[in-house]
């Protein structure tokens, strides 16, 4: 039986989403490129990545923190880079395909989001770099409301081990986020100020 929607929870998330998107926009406009380079350094210093591990990033949209400097550094360390493809329906797991040319945008996929073509190899990530609108001190994440990453993390965790790392501007952190039973928590969050590990 599908979960019953909670209008109050949805309303509180929507209100916070609007505020945090504005924070993200201001951070990106002020010094986004420099922050992306510094966040990459923070990630590399805190989270070990072995050669041959599959790391799924994302192609930055709107004002998201740009993970491409980090992904290029990970590729130089021997990581296999993946990008997600969005499912046709909300709250469905993402599919991750290999994309080596991280300096080149893949073709536009569903909803106009760049994604590797369907003939690119499908792989299961060892590490998932997660975009977000906001996060809190307990590792809760606020996304765009589609439920794709929650469904993805639930599926990956039920199948085995996955390290979920939120990637964001420091101003996107709040003291506490509203959360529901389907909201998957992060293992880490990395910003330009450092890396935070969360107990789950």
């Amino acid at each position: 039986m599908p979960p019953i929607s909670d209008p109050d929870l949805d309303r509180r998330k929507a209100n916070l989403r609007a505020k945090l998107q504005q924070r993200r926009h201001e951070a990106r406009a002020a010094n986004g490129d420099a922050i992306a380079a510094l966040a990459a350094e923070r990630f590399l210093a805190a989270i070990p990545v072995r050669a041959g591990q599959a790391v799924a990033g994302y192609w930055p949209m709107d004002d998201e923190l740009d993970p491409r400097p980090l992904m290029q550094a990970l590729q130089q360390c021997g990581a296999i880079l993946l990008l997600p493809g969005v499912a046709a329906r909300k709250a469905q797991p993402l599919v991750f395909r290999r994309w080596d040319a991280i300096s080149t945008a893949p073709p536009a996929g569903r909803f106009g989001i760049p994604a590797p073509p369907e003939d690119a190899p499908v792989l299961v990530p060892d590490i998932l770099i997660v975009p977000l609108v906001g996060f809190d001190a307990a590792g809760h994440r606020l996304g765009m409301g589609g439920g794709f990453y929650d469904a993805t993390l639930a599926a990956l965790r039920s199948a085995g081990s996955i390290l979920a790392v939120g990637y964001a501007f420091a101003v996107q952190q709040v003291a506490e986020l509203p959360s529901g039973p389907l909201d998957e928590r992060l293992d880490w969050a990395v910003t330009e100020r450092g890396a935070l590990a969360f107990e789950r």
Side-chain angles (χ1 to χ4, degrees):
M1 185 174 181
I4 298 172
S5 176
D6 182 342
D8 180 62
L9 178 63
D10 294 343
R11 177 185 55 78
R12 287 186 291 143
K13 284 184 176 183
N15 288 340
L16 264 175
R17 187 176 289 115
K19 293 175 184 177
L20 291 171
Q21 281 179 305
Q22 181 60 32
R23 286 189 193 179
R24 188 174 70 178
H25 171 74
E26 291 170 357
R28 178 71 185 90
N31 212 8
D33 291 342
I35 290 174
L38 185 53
E41 293 178 12
R42 302 297 194 196
F43 184 107
L44 295 168
I47 300 173
V49 179
R50 299 187 308 274
Q53 280 191 305
V55 181
Y58 58 90
W59 196 265
M61 301 290 289
D62 300 321
D63 300 307
E64 291 172 340
L65 180 60
D66 190 347
R68 288 173 294 181
L70 170 60
M71 294 178 72
Q72 288 170 341
L74 291 173
Q75 189 175 50
Q76 291 171 2
C77 295
I80 299 168
L81 300 184
L82 313 178
L83 288 176
V86 178
R89 292 183 294 120
K90 285 187 175 183
Q92 295 297 305
L94 301 165
V95 174
F96 298 96
R97 292 184 168 87
R98 185 162 183 166
W99 187 255
D100 295 320
I102 201 60
S103 61
T104 303
R110 195 164 277 115
F111 307 124
I113 299 172
E118 293 190 359
D119 59 354
V122 174
L123 295 172
V124 176
D126 299 299
I127 299 172
L128 180 56
I129 302 171
V130 185
L132 49 83
V133 177
F135 70 97
D136 68 13
H140 295 113
R141 168 188 171 272
L142 180 67
M144 291 301 295
F148 294 109
Y149 276 93
D150 290 316
T152 299
L153 285 172
L156 290 172
R157 284 170 173 161
S158 68
S161 177
I162 180 71
L163 191 72
V165 184
Y167 205 61
F169 297 99
V171 294
Q172 293 175 251
Q173 183 177 3
V174 296
E176 185 177 4
L177 285 173
S179 63
L182 298 182
D183 293 329
E184 292 283 332
R185 291 170 59 202
L186 300 165
D187 298 300
W188 287 79
V190 173
T191 74
E192 74 276 16
R193 292 182 186 168
L196 301 172
F198 306 113
E199 291 186 5
R200 288 196 303 109

